[in-house]
Amino acid sequence: MEYSVSFPTGTVQYCFTGIKELLKRAPADSSVIITDSNVATLYQQVIAAYRTIIIPAGEEHKTQQTIQSVTEQLLEFKAHKKTTIIGLGGGMITDIAGYAASIYMRGVPFGFVPTTLLAMVDAAIGGKNGVNFGLHKNMLGTIRQPSFILYDTALLHTLPDMEWSNGFAEIIKYACIFDAPLFAELSTHIINYYKEDATALNELIQRCANWKNKTVSEDETENNVRKLLNFGHTAGHAIETLYNLPHGQAVSLGMLVACSISESECGLHPDVRRQLAMVLQQYKLPASLKLHTEQLMDILVMDKKRSNNTIDYIVLSSIGSALIKPLPFETIKQALDKFSDAGNY
Ligand SMILES: NC(=O)c1ccc[n+]([C@@H]2O[C@H](COP(=O)([O-])OP(=O)(O)OC[C@H]3O[C@@H](n4cnc5c(N)ncnc54)[C@H](O)[C@@H]3O)[C@@H](O)[C@H]2O)c1
């Protein structure tokens, strides 16, 4: 199946056709693959035909220094304005590849082959790509759409269990903000159900991709509804940085903090937080952590959704219904304290 989605900065071809189509979509003589060391080892046959830049795996390499090294290698390959950069990997790689392609020679074409569940449902979609800077997540980056995203769920067969869980954190996020029936569906299953049923997995990925595409096409530059996709990410990014947790695990904890804030700020029933904690644990995601509020606040005050002394926080009024609420730092600090003290949920 193939379809295209148009955004102000470009049209993206979504190809659910499998990795075999990559050579047709991006011929080897005019493309360069960027991938990480794990994916390069696992998928040697895929990269064999291409000039390939291999980055060490791990979030700690999502930096400006890596962009520097990628640029040097692109120059060595004599990559030019018509060279297509292919990001083959998880969200770390799609961020690096999308950002490098957006600034190299002021922009060259690029496409993604996401290889983690998280990248398939979230990171590869929407055109936001960037790197971390010190303690600050995704502080430097661009908004520019890939020309294609090529899906092959067979690539997930090699994905470690923890990475499946991390992907489900973003899937549960979509359910919380937009899709109560999906939340109900997820409550009745576990990861293995989707691992063992290719149709259910493909439908789930497409449903999440559709939510993200719909939101981004309405507000590509994140002035309004796109902010909703940050549910769980404000505290989540600070938690990810401070405790060096994988993105999905940090977002899980961030969603519970956001529910706690939603209870005081828009009357969310406390049962929702308990239900969410149960679903997260069902998908082997964390629901508790002792938080160091002061240190988290030091990171949080530089959040990209900050204006003066407030942050646009994403809160829930119920499952499937999210809204943007500017909150003073003090309210966020109190919520973090409460979450930490309450044994978390
Ligand atoms: N740009 C966006 O809109 C957006 C959205 C969400 C997340 N992100 C970013 O995405 C990143 C997290 O993405 P992620 O969870 O995919 O992390 P990741 O890219 O670091 O991948 C996680 C691990 O899985 C390994 N891996 C990847 N594919 C594999 C496969 N098929 N088989 C076996 N191992 C495989 C990787 O080598 C890595 O060790 C974070 O940097 C986050 O900020 C970006």
Side-chain angles (χ1 to χ4, degrees):
M1 186 179 63
E2 281 196 40
Y3 57 85
S4 61
V5 179
S6 290
F7 303 94
T9 59
T11 297
V12 184
Q13 198 67 23
Y14 281 78
C15 318
F16 291 84
T17 47
I19 192 83
K20 61 182 186 317
E21 293 289 312
L22 183 61
L23 278 165
K24 273 192 227 156
R25 179 86 23 208
D29 57 357
S30 57
S31 308
V32 172
I33 284 184
I34 301 180
T35 191
D36 78 22
S37 45
N38 294 335
V39 177
T41 307
L42 287 164
Y43 295 101
Q44 287 174 23
Q45 290 136 301
V46 177
I47 64 174
Y50 289 90
R51 292 168 292 170
T52 302
I53 298 173
I54 301 173
I55 294 166
E59 183 69 17
E60 66 276 24
H61 298 289
K62 206 178 92 173
T63 61
Q64 197 69 5
Q65 286 93 312
T66 299
I67 294 294
Q68 174 114 354
S69 138
V70 165
T71 308
E72 282 161 10
Q73 291 177 76
L74 287 171
L75 285 167
E76 272 170 35
F77 287 146
K78 301 201 169 18
H80 52 77
K81 283 289 276 182
K82 297 262 165 67
T83 304
T84 297
I85 292 183
I86 305 163
L88 170 76
M92 192 279 269
I93 285 298
T94 55
D95 267 1
I96 287 278
Y99 179 43
S102 300
I103 58 174
Y104 183 76
M105 294 191 168
R106 296 203 189 91
V108 297
F110 66 106
F112 292 145
V113 183
T115 63
T116 63
L117 182 59
L118 189 144
M120 288 184 187
V121 297
D122 191 356
I125 305 167
K128 273 209 277 182
N129 295 120
V131 295
N132 306 327
F133 188 80
L135 290 179
H136 304 291
K137 286 276 300 167
N138 306 325
M139 185 50 84
L140 307 173
T142 49
I143 299 183
R144 191 161 167 267
Q145 299 298 337
S147 47
F148 66 86
I149 308 180
L150 183 64
Y151 283 82
D152 190 338
T153 49
L155 296 167
L156 300 177
H157 290 154
T158 52
L159 199 64
D161 288 347
M162 194 181 76
E163 301 306 339
W164 277 88
S165 294
N166 287 330
F168 270 97
E170 299 287 3
I171 292 169
I172 294 166
K173 176 193 80 174
Y174 290 116
C176 286
I177 50 185
F178 299 124
D179 196 341
L182 177 59
F183 191 85
E185 178 190 312
L186 292 167
S187 313
T188 62
H189 295 306
I190 57 171
I191 293 177
N192 276 353
Y193 167 77
Y194 294 100
K195 263 191 185 176
E196 287 160 14
D197 185 334
T199 308
L201 180 63
N202 271 295
E203 280 173 8
L204 182 66
I205 290 169
Q206 284 177 38
R207 186 166 175 165
C208 294
N210 287 343
W211 279 122
K212 185 149 185 190
N213 281 326
K214 181 175 180 301
T215 313
V216 176
S217 56
E218 280 173 39
D219 174 28
E220 193 182 33
T221 48
E222 198 171 311
N223 295 309
N224 190 359
V225 286
R226 189 169 184 173
K227 289 186 185 170
L228 297 177
L229 297 170
N230 291 307
F231 176 64
H233 284 61
T234 308
H237 276 158
I239 292 170
E240 179 174 351
T241 304
L242 189 62
Y243 302 103
N244 201 15
L245 284 180
H247 185 75
Q249 292 193 25
V251 167
S252 301
L253 294 161
M255 289 194 284
L256 291 168
V257 173
C259 281
S260 174
I261 294 180
S262 308
E263 287 161 23
S264 51
E265 294 301 314
C266 54
L268 181 71
H269 198 288
D271 281 353
V272 173
R273 185 155 46 106
R274 287 187 273 273
Q275 281 167 11
L276 174 59
M278 269 165 48
V279 174
L280 291 171
Q281 287 167 313
Q282 229 165 286
Y283 289 85
K284 308 260 183 279
L285 288 160
S288 62
L289 187 72
K290 174 84 190 131
L291 301 179
H292 300 84
T293 308
E294 299 285 345
Q295 287 156 276
L296 286 172
M297 286 307 297
D298 285 345
I299 302 172
L300 253 156
V301 293
M302 283 311 296
D303 189 274
K304 293 189 286 309
K305 294 173 297 311
R306 170 202 173 143
S307 47
N308 293 330
N309 292 326
T310 62
I311 292 180
D312 281 347
Y313 222 93
I314 311 310
V315 287
L316 295 184
S317 55
S318 61
I319 288 290
S321 175
L323 55 145
I324 306 162
K325 189 137 190 176
L327 292 180
F329 294 144
E330 193 49 35
T331 308
I332 299 167
K333 184 175 176 303
Q334 283 164 7
L336 288 169
D337 281 336
K338 186 175 141 209
F339 179 79
S340 203
D341 293 344
N344 303 166
Y345 75 91

